[in-house]
């Protein structure tokens, strides 16, 4: 089963990944075409982001980043930390919509898998020990 991605995260993340690759005009052109097809701005952005994420392997990268864990949902991180929370057999990721989200998610998943008694792995931007911690 595919993870549910928060729409605001998906659009911002795909746009950031494309911008990092110097390909942001691709998203703009496809969104303009979707607008001509009758979608409103928000629908066009979401539709294009979903299609590009699928075609470019970004969604697959998120799914495989968690290894043996089951990624149920991806939400945009609020505040100063990114984290992965286990809730039973599934997990929820809170990530910043920036390039490399799947790489950071893999690091969080690895930390949780190394310490099976823990339910949260997180990166803290301000203060604390550099790297990933579990609790």
């Amino acid at each position: 089963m595919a993870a549910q991605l928060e729409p605001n995260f998906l659009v911002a993340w795909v746009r950031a990944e494309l911008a990092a690759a110097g390909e942001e005009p691709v998203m703009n052109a496809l969104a303009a075409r979707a607008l001509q097809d009758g979608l409103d701005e928000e629908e066009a952005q979401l539709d294009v982001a979903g299609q590009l994420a699928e075609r470019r392997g970004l969604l697959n990268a998120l799914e495989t980043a968690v290894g043996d864990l089951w990624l149920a949902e991806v939400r945009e991180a609020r505040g100063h930390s990114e984290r992965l929370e286990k809730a039973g057999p599934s997990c929820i990721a809170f990530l910043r919509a920036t390039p490399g989200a799947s790489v950071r998610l893999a690091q969080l998943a690895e930390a949780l898998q190394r310490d099976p008694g823990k339910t949260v792995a997180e990166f803290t931007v301000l203060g604390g020990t550099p790297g990933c911690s579990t609790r």
Side-chain angles (χ1 to χ4, degrees):
M1 175 180 226
Q4 296 294 315
L5 275 69
E6 181 180 68
N8 291 336
F9 169 81
L10 176 63
V11 171
W13 173 55
V14 170
R15 187 170 292 285
E17 291 284 2
L18 290 173
E23 298 180 27
E24 191 171 13
V26 170
M27 187 164 178
N28 295 335
L30 291 172
R33 187 177 312 155
L35 286 170
Q36 290 174 347
D37 289 342
L39 296 179
D40 69 28
E41 181 71 29
E42 190 174 308
E43 291 172 327
Q45 293 290 322
L46 184 57
D47 184 59
V48 168
Q51 288 181 36
L52 287 171
E54 181 69 33
R55 280 191 233 145
R56 293 178 180 241
L58 297 172
L59 295 178
N60 187 54
L62 282 179
E63 291 281 334
T64 58
V66 294
D68 292 336
L69 299 173
W70 173 48
L71 183 62
E73 191 172 351
V74 179
R75 299 179 185 171
E76 190 167 7
R78 307 279 187 230
H80 298 290
S81 71
E82 291 183 298
R83 67 186 184 281
L84 180 63
E85 296 180 1
K86 282 197 310 190
S90 65
C91 55
I92 299 172
F94 296 85
L95 302 170
R96 287 188 315 280
T98 57
S102 59
V103 172
R104 296 188 309 275
L105 180 57
Q107 293 170 328
L108 292 167
E110 183 180 316
L112 273 181
Q113 291 171 340
R114 272 195 320 263
D115 203 347
K118 305 294 181 172
T119 59
V120 177
E122 68 184 326
F123 292 120
T124 302
V125 176
L126 299 174
T129 305
C132 182
S133 64
T134 57
R135 52 184 162 96

